[in-house]
Amino acid sequence: MANDVFDKKLQRIVGQIRYRPTIATFNGVSVLAKELEAKFEEWRAPKHDDITLYSPKVKKLLQVGFDTITYLNESEENTQELISYLKSVFEKCTSSLEVNNIRRIGFRNTQILTCAFKFQELNDLIFRKFYSGNKDFKSISSDLPRETVFILDGTKNGFQNHVQIGPVNREEALKFYNSGFDVDKDSIGDTNLFVDVDVFQLEGLNSKNTIERLEDSVKENLRIIRDYIKYLTQ
């Protein structure tokens, strides 16, 4: 079982909708953010067209800009709230601020998973699973791979995706995760698996299908991570 091998210590989920701004969105950001202000502890507005609602205690935020809506959560994998909040703001954009040109939807999932492997053992596992099919790698540049990272940009099930998987030590884990909130550094082990998956769509979007496609991107992202972890632990 994957949960017997890897123990999730950090996770950040990010959902985002980008659209072509209208003149109305430049002055309407405060109206959009006001809808969900009560759901968060604090807010900041470096510019009138860029407002962030955030809750440091539960490590989440909602950023509303003139051309982008972003939800971020580092405390839990609450995809229902992600969809709910983005949908609430987006529907206001389309109904009141004349937004109709959707440029991108996406869901990104970044995880740090601690394991009992020694670093070289985990590195060897990544190399064996993703690269050992081609024996030329070792003959060309490495008798002993010291650090292996798997990176793949692909298209699957109607979405584009970016996948990055590799071993990291404690310092690298904190650096790559790069949290804007307080992190329990002591919970991170000496050997960890870094997983970063972004699933997104750039074309074929409109005001009617955007939320449905966002929901589907969440499902596709979770499937990709689940299947890669299963592959690594088989």
Side-chain angles (χ1 to χ4, degrees):
M1 295 290 292
N3 289 341
D4 295 331
V5 179
F6 297 107
D7 184 12
K8 188 191 304 178
K9 294 299 183 180
L10 296 174
Q11 180 179 23
R12 174 171 54 243
I13 61 171
V14 180
Q16 188 177 81
I17 302 173
R18 294 181 189 170
Y19 45 83
R20 183 180 185 277
T22 64
I23 292 177
T25 62
F26 278 95
N27 293 316
V29 168
S30 61
V31 176
L32 298 174
K34 180 66 177 176
E35 294 287 314
L36 293 169
E37 181 182 2
K39 303 289 187 180
F40 294 84
E41 300 167 21
E42 303 178 32
W43 64 272
R44 60 174 179 262
K47 296 182 294 183
H48 80 280
D49 56 6
D50 184 3
I51 297 176
T52 299
L53 309 173
Y54 64 104
S55 297
K57 293 180 182 178
V58 291
K59 302 180 181 180
K60 67 180 179 182
L61 63 81
L62 179 72
Q63 183 176 16
V64 183
F66 68 92
D67 66 347
T68 307
I69 316 163
T70 304
Y71 172 97
L72 181 151
N73 193 328
E74 290 190 8
S75 64
E76 59 179 342
E77 190 181 281
N78 194 341
T79 58
Q80 289 185 334
E81 183 179 85
L82 179 149
I83 295 296
S84 175
Y85 286 6
L86 291 178
K87 180 180 179 181
S88 176
V89 178
F90 178 73
E91 288 184 344
K92 192 75 173 179
C93 286
T94 56
S95 64
S96 302
L97 302 182
E98 303 172 356
V99 168
N100 55 34
N101 186 339
I102 316 306
R103 292 178 167 174
R104 186 187 192 274
I105 59 94
F107 178 74
R108 185 174 181 180
N109 195 340
T110 305
Q111 301 182 12
I112 302 294
L113 302 100
T114 293
C115 63
F117 292 118
K118 294 181 179 179
F119 188 88
Q120 189 60 48
E121 292 174 336
L122 181 57
N123 186 70
D124 290 344
L125 173 64
I126 298 298
F127 186 86
R128 185 171 67 252
K129 285 290 188 176
F130 293 112
Y131 296 107
S132 63
N134 189 334
K135 298 180 180 179
D136 292 336
F137 281 117
K138 289 187 176 182
S139 65
I140 292 173
S141 65
S142 179
D143 294 324
L144 178 64
R146 294 196 307 269
E147 191 162 356
T148 306
V149 179
F150 173 72
I151 298 176
L152 180 66
D153 289 329
T155 301
K156 184 74 174 179
N157 295 329
F159 293 100
Q160 296 183 53
N161 63 68
H162 172 81
V163 176
Q164 181 171 340
I165 301 173
V168 290
N169 59 34
R170 179 184 284 107
E171 291 74 21
E172 291 171 330
L174 294 170
K175 178 182 178 181
F176 294 155
Y177 189 71
N178 191 27
S179 177
F181 298 100
D182 291 334
V183 173
D184 182 5
K185 299 179 180 179
D186 294 334
S187 69
I188 309 303
D190 295 326
T191 302
N192 310 276
L193 184 70
F194 176 76
V195 179
D196 189 14
V197 176
D198 190 12
V199 174
F200 56 96
Q201 182 175 339
L202 302 175
E203 299 177 346
L205 297 166
N206 56 60
S207 59
K208 294 182 179 181
N209 70 1
T210 291
I211 298 303
E212 179 180 358
R213 294 304 290 162
L214 181 64
E215 292 174 330
D216 290 342
S217 74
V218 171
K219 295 175 184 177
E220 178 67 1
N221 189 303
L222 298 178
R223 180 199 66 77
I224 289 174
I225 291 181
R226 182 178 64 250
D227 288 354
Y228 270 120
I229 296 298
K230 180 179 179 181
Y231 174 65
L232 288 173
T233 55
Q234 286 176 338

